[in-house]
Amino acid sequence: MPFPRIAASSYSNTAPLVWSFLYGKNHGKVELILDNAPARSADLLAGGRVDAALIPVIVFQEIDDARLIPNVCVGAKTRVRSVCLVTAGMDLADARTVSLDTSSRSSVALTKIIFREFIGVEPEWIDAPPDIDEMLATSDAALIIGDPALALASPREGEADGRVGSRTYQVFDLAELWHRFTGLGFVFAMWMTLHERLDIDFASARDEGLEHLDEIIANYGPDIGLNKYEMRSYLAENISYSIDEKMVQGMELYFELAAKNGLIPTVKPLRFI
């Protein structure tokens, strides 16, 4: 029998969830496809080309037969650091144009919800490659996700300034904004499948990955430009790889607001394997 095929992004925050499949006890048991863009992993699942994918949660509402794999996620209880709105100093309420990195559908939808529901403005949305200087050259604000956002964000809660070279930016953490307005955590991505059951223990793979944070930090930290203490803080404190009740409530509210704002057609109830 062929090995199951699974897909995930290659961001540092997914590394603890895929480490076991690359180097650990699950090595050789699956075929793992890695890509920089979570949205491309979603397309692989929607097309039936993989058995499971770690993808933006909004996709659950877009694929009719999708099922969630329980208890494993990429989320944040308060602050995520790697999904940010960035300006050159402007407050978000004053932004009239927003460039969107469209590689994560959940983050794009969350951005629109935050502006419409919580800030009360409707800027012009512009799809753009994730280059902060190019984005801010044509827009008042920019959505940046993944490791490029992590390089901009301050590791200290409550500090909004980020710096790249000689430039200073105003950085707004999306999970922090969500928590400020709702009091809830946020789930950005989960493993999903089109099957009713799947013989892969994603929870134990996660646990093994979290036991090897030192190796993950040594691999990603230098490329992102963070020291090992900042990387450990991010992976061990900012990112939540398990889901608590506040995060489930946050996901349900997110889906409700997405439907209210026309970002998904309807809300279907959570369905797990």
Side-chain angles (χ1 to χ4, degrees):
M1 280 185 68
F3 292 126
R5 303 182 80 214
I6 64 176
S9 77
S10 54
Y11 292 142
S12 62
N13 61 22
T14 66
L17 300 184
V18 301
W19 191 94
S20 179
F21 301 111
L22 289 169
Y23 310 110
K25 296 175 183 177
N26 286 291
H27 178 66
K29 296 181 180 180
V30 302
E31 180 185 348
L32 174 61
I33 301 169
L34 291 176
D35 196 297
N36 283 331
R40 283 197 281 272
S41 294
D43 292 339
L44 289 174
L45 181 67
R49 287 173 285 172
V50 294
D51 296 291
L54 181 62
I55 54 180
V57 292
I58 197 76
V59 178
F60 172 74
Q61 297 291 343
E62 299 171 350
I63 301 177
D64 289 339
D65 298 327
R67 294 176 182 268
L68 299 165
I69 293 167
N71 304 323
V72 182
C73 74
V74 177
K77 294 179 180 179
T78 54
R79 187 167 184 257
V80 69
R81 285 175 55 197
S82 54
V83 184
C84 301
L85 282 162
V86 183
T87 74
M90 180 182 294
D91 189 79
L92 291 179
D94 297 322
R96 294 296 174 262
T97 51
V98 178
S99 285
L100 299 171
D101 175 355
T102 58
S103 58
S104 172
R105 299 171 192 171
S106 289
S107 300
V108 169
L110 178 58
T111 298
K112 293 180 178 181
I113 288 169
I114 286 173
F115 271 97
R116 293 170 180 173
E117 293 287 329
F118 306 141
I119 299 175
V121 297
E122 176 74 16
E124 178 186 356
W125 310 108
I126 303 169
D127 294 344
D131 182 307
I132 186 62
D133 290 328
E134 291 292 330
M135 295 167 96
L136 291 181
T138 57
S139 300
D140 297 326
L143 170 66
I144 298 288
I145 70 167
D147 295 337
L150 185 58
L152 282 170
S154 166
R156 291 168 290 280
E157 187 170 1
E159 293 189 10
D161 288 343
R163 179 177 292 274
V164 174
S166 61
R167 295 198 61 177
T168 300
Y169 302 96
Q170 188 85 351
V171 181
F172 302 87
D173 187 295
L174 258 65
E176 196 169 34
L177 288 171
W178 173 260
H179 186 266
R180 182 189 308 168
F181 288 111
T182 68
L184 301 172
F186 194 83
V187 178
F188 287 95
M190 291 184 69
W191 287 108
M192 297 182 211
T193 182
L194 303 183
H195 304 303
E196 293 186 2
R197 64 185 301 273
L198 200 60
D199 293 327
I200 303 172
D201 191 342
F202 289 99
S204 68
R206 170 203 60 207
D207 295 344
E208 186 181 10
L210 290 172
E211 292 171 357
H212 291 84
L213 283 185
D214 288 340
E215 292 99 313
I216 292 170
I217 289 166
N219 185 39
Y220 281 91
D223 291 336
I224 299 172
L226 300 183
N227 65 45
K228 63 181 180 181
Y229 303 106
E230 292 170 334
M231 278 298 299
R232 179 169 289 278
S233 173
Y234 170 62
L235 293 174
E237 298 173 17
N238 295 116
I239 300 295
S240 178
Y241 293 103
S242 301
I243 303 176
D244 64 12
E245 185 58 31
K246 288 285 189 182
M247 294 170 73
V248 172
Q249 293 173 14
M251 184 162 53
E252 291 173 334
L253 176 60
Y254 169 66
F255 289 153
E256 291 173 13
L257 293 177
K260 176 185 175 183
N261 285 275
L263 303 172
I264 54 175
T266 59
V267 178
K268 66 180 181 182
L270 302 182
R271 180 172 59 177
F272 297 89
I273 62 170

